[in-house]
Amino acid sequence: MTHTHKTSSQSTSRNSSHAESVRFIHSSDWQLGMYRHFLADGGGDKAEAQARFSAARLRAVAALGELSEEVDAEFIVVAGDVFDYNSLTRQTEGRIWEVLKALPVPVYLLPGNHDPLVAHSIFHKTKDLDGVYYFADIEPLEVRPGVELIGAPLRARTATTDLVADAIAGLDPDPRIRIVVGHGQVQGRSSEPKPDLIDLNNVEENLRAGAIDYVALGDTHNTEELGSTGAVWFSGSPEVTDFHDLDSAGGGEHDSGNALVVDITKDGPGQAQVSVDKREVGTWTFDTFKESLSSSEDVDRFIQRLEAYPRKDSTVVKYALEGAIGMEDNRRLEEELERLRPVFANIYPRERLMDLIIAPSEDELANADISGFAQAALDELVADMDHDPTARDAANLLYRLARKEG
């Protein structure tokens, strides 16, 4: 099937020699319409942060269009999970269509496990959008003479076979450039054998033979090269979707927010030359980390770490604190966190891993300027703080109130 391009000047080969070449953008896992509970629950400022995050995901798509113009790419391929669900609100859909229509080059969309090609698939609604195409089956799509796309769309949330293997079965070496677009995990990366895992050895055998020339994958939200041919990649999501665990090497979502600029040159039916350039397009940050606090200096260091984030309104920090600090240090810590929370998209404790003990010194208790019934209540709360979180919170509140009044 041949498609009309939005920009006809890009519909010819990049050189006049026998070799064929193409440059395109590889992206995946847009998950447009994504909801994040830590941004939306509770209303107020959080709901506002969710709205900004949703808008940022659309801006990331627009950024792909800007990147395509910057590097003179011919088209964009999106390797699955374009939408977070097949059923979105009319407002969300309308805004998505506007962004897709505004892209300066054609975009080819693959149904993934979040948005499989079922009867009520949202992809059916894109048929009237100029320059927007989706893979309905494994039949090759001719982008232009000499360049083909082969998609492996999901027709259910879980596949029962290696869809990429099915899509490339029987292909022979060819002088045309063939780009395969798939979605799913790869053999060797999953903890258990599953029938839908992509056979990387099979893929690379076909790449070396020249039957296919690049495999654009989605599902993993980090940018990652697979195998040894340099032609199999996860692009990762163009905007962050989950937390990066800063205390663990490669922990969590550690390299998202990118797009890949892919160049392929092929001279005859053998293996093509492929180069991949990773470009940052996302703007949000989700970080999680643990800090150990045992002094005023440690509290200062933790607050300075938060202050150092350059784009606080598009940053979410989930923290865990351990150690023991006095009541005065804890008062200052809580006041600083209260000051910073409205500035960030969100800052909140990782309750399951919180292990910070409040250990008031004799001087702190003596200088609390509390007497009578209040002093007796504070003494009782302090005695219970180690094993009762409610007593700890009450003691700190009483101490802070006494300090303010003093």
Side-chain angles (χ1 to χ4, degrees), residues 165-230:
D166 295 343
I168 64 177
L171 293 179
D172 294 319
D174 196 284
R176 289 172 294 185
I177 291 175
R178 288 174 173 155
I179 300 158
V180 179
V181 188
H183 188 87
Q185 286 303 307
V186 175
Q187 286 182 4
R189 288 172 49 90
S190 178
S191 59
E192 57 182 292
K194 296 180 180 179
D196 61 331
L197 292 179
I198 298 167
D199 185 345
L200 182 59
N201 290 331
N202 175 52
V203 164
E204 295 211 298
E205 286 176 5
N206 279 272
L207 286 166
R208 293 188 180 96
I212 59 176
D213 303 295
Y214 182 82
V215 181
L217 294 179
D219 192 41
T220 291
H221 291 191
N222 295 314
T223 302
E224 185 176 349
E225 179 183 0
L226 301 174
S228 60
T229 59

Side-chain angles (χ1 to χ4, degrees), residues 11 53 63 102 164 221 235 260 292 336 338 340 345 354 360 366 392 394:
S11 62
F53 179 65
V164 170
H221 291 191
S235 67
L260 301 179
S292 180
E336 288 296 307
E338 287 176 6
L340 286 169
M354 287 289 287
R392 180 196 62 205

Side-chain angles (χ1 to χ4, degrees), residues 250-319:
E253 192 170 309
H254 61 275
D255 192 18
S256 58
N258 305 311
L260 301 179
V261 179
V262 183
D263 281 283
I264 303 175
T265 301
K266 191 171 187 180
D267 189 0
Q271 185 174 0
Q273 294 181 340
V274 177
S275 67
V276 178
D277 182 17
K278 182 175 73 172
R279 297 292 191 94
E280 184 178 356
V281 295
T283 59
W284 277 64
T285 300
F286 293 167
D287 280 349
T288 182
F289 57 84
K290 179 181 287 188
E291 285 278 5
S292 180
L293 307 183
S294 60
S295 66
S296 296
E297 291 74 20
D298 290 340
V299 173
D300 290 340
R301 186 184 67 250
F302 173 58
I303 297 302
Q304 289 165 4
R305 183 173 188 176
L306 296 177
E307 290 279 20
Y309 280 95
R311 299 189 300 247
K312 296 179 180 62
D313 64 338
S314 55
T315 297
V316 178
V317 172
K318 180 171 60 172
Y319 61 86

Side-chain angles (χ1 to χ4, degrees), residues 299-357:
V299 173
D300 290 340
R301 186 184 67 250
F302 173 58
I303 297 302
Q304 289 165 4
R305 183 173 188 176
L306 296 177
E307 290 279 20
Y309 280 95
R311 299 189 300 247
K312 296 179 180 62
D313 64 338
S314 55
T315 297
V316 178
V317 172
K318 180 171 60 172
Y319 61 86
L321 302 177
E322 62 181 5
I325 58 175
M327 297 186 76
E328 178 62 23
D329 285 334
N330 188 65
R331 179 191 65 82
R332 188 163 56 87
L333 170 65
E334 292 187 356
E335 288 180 352
E336 288 296 307
L337 286 171
E338 287 176 6
R339 177 180 64 84
L340 286 169
R341 280 194 184 94
V343 182
F344 279 77
N346 203 1
I347 307 175
Y348 66 101
R350 197 173 185 181
E351 296 289 359
R352 182 174 57 86
L353 299 180
M354 287 289 287
D355 191 22
L356 184 65
I357 298 171

Side-chain angles (χ1 to χ4, degrees), residues 134-153:
Y134 68 89
F135 296 95
D137 49 44
I138 62 173
E139 289 299 312
L141 302 181
E142 185 182 70
V143 176
R144 59 168 167 82
V147 178
E148 290 183 345
L149 300 178
I150 300 173

